[in-house]
């Protein structure tokens, strides 16, 4: 936002010096740098969270991403945590249907070698 304001200020100063040609170029450049607005999904983030929480009761959402997949259906990708389990749930952004549900044990707090650290 600040960059756009700086370009406009710089453009206004340039208008006084060049008669408007540089201002038009600066304004066009700032508009061209803006990404095209994405089409809003039919299923909102709040709705996707509600759907995922129904799939994994008693969990909480630890991550939420919107994945625009081009030719494939857009999905909300959610990661839920319930105790020591992490669940990945994908919710179709158009229909609200769950397209993927996977549970993984959270290994961050566990040793894979079976050694509990005691030398007894």
């Amino acid at each position: 936002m600040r960059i756009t304001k700086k370009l406009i200020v710089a453009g206004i100063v340039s208008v006084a010096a060049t008669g408007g040609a540089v201002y038009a170029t600066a304004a066009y450049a700032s508009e061209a740098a803006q990404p095209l607005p994405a089409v809003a999904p039919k299923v909102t983030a709040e709705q996707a969270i509600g759907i995922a929480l129904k799939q994994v009761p008693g969990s909480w959402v630890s991550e939420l991403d919107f994945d625009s997949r081009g030719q494939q259906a857009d999905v909300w990708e959610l990661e839920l945590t319930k105790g020591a389990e992490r669940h990945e749930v994908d919710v179709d952004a158009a229909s609200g249907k769950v397209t993927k549900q996977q549970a993984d044990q959270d290994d961050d707090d566990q040793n894979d070698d079976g050694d509990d650290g005691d030398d007894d």
Side-chain angles (χ1 to χ4, degrees):
M1 189 67 160
R2 289 178 180 243
I3 293 172
T4 304
K5 289 179 182 178
K6 288 179 182 177
L7 285 175
I8 292 172
V9 171
I12 292 171
V13 171
S14 299
V15 169
T18 63
V22 175
Y23 174 74
T25 303
Y28 177 74
S30 67
E31 290 177 4
Q34 300 292 330
L36 295 175
V39 176
K42 291 181 181 179
V43 176
T44 66
E46 289 179 351
Q47 291 170 328
I49 290 170
I51 293 166
L53 290 174
K54 285 181 184 177
Q55 292 293 314
V56 187
S59 64
W60 58 275
V61 177
S62 54
E63 190 173 321
L64 170 69
D65 294 311
F66 181 74
D67 188 7
S68 180
R69 298 184 173 176
Q71 298 295 331
Q72 296 177 337
D74 297 340
V75 296
W76 288 103
E77 296 177 340
L78 296 99
E79 184 176 293
L80 300 120
T81 302
K82 182 177 182 181
E85 291 183 338
R86 291 188 328 174
H87 297 261
E88 295 177 21
V89 178
D90 288 359
V91 177
D92 186 297
S95 67
K97 293 182 181 179
V98 174
T99 60
K100 173 186 170 186
Q101 182 174 354
Q102 179 179 344
D104 294 320
Q105 191 71 20
D106 189 5
D107 294 333
D108 291 342
D109 296 330
Q110 299 176 0
N111 287 334
D112 292 330
D113 61 3
D115 185 10
D116 62 2
D118 292 333
D119 292 330
D120 296 332

